[in-house]
Amino acid sequence: VSDVHNAKTRSFNMSKIKSKNTKPELILRKAIHAKGLRYKLHDKSLPGRPDIVFPKFKAIIEIKGCFWHGHDCDYFKWPKTHSEFWKKKISSNIERDKKTLLRLQDLGWRTLTIWECTLKGKNKLPLPELTEYVESWLAEYHASTELDSKKIKRQPT
Ligand SMILES: [Zn+2]
């Protein structure tokens, strides 16, 4: 029984991981677009098919789900059931994320990782503030960094 269940859970989870265009991401994209900033989506020619690519600014925004990518925040707790499966899954996501960011940065791209908890929930940043942050990060050519609901921190590279 558990094998069948695991297989089902797994394929469901995989489909969730691949799903793009989640709602908070759409809201952010719309706000950025309204500022006159133009981007490409899920560019297949770049490592990891980054979410939002700004060729003009040589910059990339990646939006990461706190659960799937193991963010250290209120939205992430290690699941108590199927814990081995989840540990493997999420740890490998974290590893892959790191590698992808480094590859992008090696290619000369700046990366801004925006965690889901910045976009929704009780600690989210108000949209105007977030948009303003993104706008200045792009236009002032700031270094690669991460943005989450608690702090703005630099990406250690
Ligand atoms: Zn988070």
Side-chain angles (χ1 to χ4, degrees):
V1 172
S2 70
D3 273 359
V4 173
H5 177 72
N6 283 345
K8 273 186 187 165
T9 308
R10 201 166 298 134
S11 74
F12 172 72
N13 294 334
M14 295 307 280
S15 70
K16 291 268 281 199
I17 286 169
K18 278 177 195 149
S19 80
K20 297 279 179 185
N21 304 326
T22 54
K23 204 180 165 213
E25 180 180 338
L26 278 180
I27 293 167
L28 175 64
R29 266 159 42 187
K30 227 173 145 180
I32 293 170
H33 196 265
K35 294 272 188 182
L37 301 162
R38 296 297 174 258
Y39 49 78
K40 290 196 282 186
L41 297 175
H42 312 136
D43 190 340
K44 289 192 194 86
S45 67
L46 291 172
R49 295 183 62 190
D51 292 331
I52 310 176
V53 180
F54 300 87
K56 188 182 159 193
F57 297 102
K58 200 74 177 157
I60 282 164
I61 293 180
E62 286 277 44
I63 291 160
K64 292 214 190 309
C66 296
F67 176 75
W68 295 101
H69 299 270
H71 190 216
D72 179 21
C73 77
D74 294 346
Y75 287 94
F76 178 70
K77 277 191 187 83
W78 288 105
K80 291 204 171 70
T81 54
H82 306 296
S83 50
E84 277 309 304
F85 165 75
W86 286 113
K87 206 167 183 180
K88 226 170 136 183
K89 179 79 237 162
I90 292 167
S91 302
S92 83
N93 285 348
I94 293 171
E95 270 313 299
R96 195 177 52 233
D97 290 347
K98 274 189 204 156
K99 280 184 195 153
T100 303
L101 280 191
L102 287 177
R103 283 171 69 198
L104 289 168
Q105 289 163 6
D106 281 348
L107 291 168
W109 292 89
R110 295 181 292 136
T111 61
L112 172 58
T113 302
I114 299 181
W115 289 95
E116 187 184 21
C117 55
T118 316
L119 299 172
K120 65 181 202 186
K122 61 178 181 340
N123 297 320
K124 72 178 176 191
L125 272 184
L127 189 61
E129 265 179 53
L130 180 61
T131 313
E132 209 170 288
Y133 178 87
V134 168
E135 199 181 14
S136 59
W137 181 81
L138 284 170
E140 292 164 23
Y141 290 85
H142 292 300
S144 295
T145 191
E146 279 186 41
L147 187 60
D148 71 17
S149 58
K150 288 172 287 188
K151 55 196 176 291
I152 294 166
K153 64 182 179 188
R154 249 164 223 288
Q155 176 79 17
T157 49

